[in-house]
Amino acid sequence: INLILRHKKFLNIDISIKKDNFGRKINKKILNYSLADANRQIKENYSDYEIIHLLIDKYFINDCTYYNFPNDISSDYLIIDLKFICLSSNIIKNLEKIFKNYQIKISKIISVKYLEDYFKDNKSDIFSNCQKILDGTNQNEVQLISKNQKKMGFFERFFLLFS
């Protein structure tokens, strides 16, 4: 299930990152590198938390502010304002344990406050708004994909190879 959660223990972390670009065109590769670096820094410094949402607030390029990723702009640097919405790993583990008792797996946790802030002028119900977020309505939300840490056995690798 996707769990829509209102909890007072969400941690919001706002950071800015700067990437030198040496006058080249800014592209998605540079953006991805910068986002991965910011993600790594948050995970290192807030190891007791898991990132629930990663939002790009704005871009600063050539002393101009952009709210969507600009294409084909050359610049010496790229500055990105980011917002991380995190939740304690202990809270997540406890929730997963409770739901596991009922054979329910949590796929994604969505912050109610984030939904309310993003859809403040929209009078749709919270479930419709949640589905819109999951479908990628917010172009400035970075979809985090976790690496599969599970080691596969011989037969799992064998069947995966031929599937």
Side-chain angles (χ1 to χ4, degrees), residues 4 112 115-116 118-133 137:
I4 305 169
V112 169
L115 286 174
E116 291 172 345
Y118 187 75
F119 292 106
K120 61 184 162 222
D121 298 329
N122 187 334
K123 301 301 180 201
S124 296
D125 66 285
I126 195 168
F127 304 108
S128 299
N129 290 342
C130 178
Q131 188 58 51
K132 290 175 187 173
I133 289 295
T137 297

Side-chain angles (χ1 to χ4, degrees), residues 58-66 73 77 79:
K58 55 190 156 216
Y59 306 88
F60 296 99
I61 303 167
N62 296 331
D63 299 324
C64 295
T65 302
Y66 298 89
I73 293 180
Y77 59 87
I79 299 173

Side-chain angles (χ1 to χ4, degrees), residues 89-125:
S89 298
N90 290 334
I91 293 171
I92 293 171
K93 287 176 187 172
N94 288 338
L95 287 169
E96 287 174 341
K97 184 178 178 182
I98 291 167
F99 280 95
K100 187 176 182 179
N101 290 335
Y102 299 98
Q103 290 80 37
I104 299 172
K105 182 179 184 306
I106 299 173
S107 299
K108 175 100 173 122
I109 297 174
I110 297 93
S111 164
V112 169
K113 175 129 177 48
Y114 165 52
L115 286 174
E116 291 172 345
D117 290 346
Y118 187 75
F119 292 106
K120 61 184 162 222
D121 298 329
N122 187 334
K123 301 301 180 201
S124 296
D125 66 285

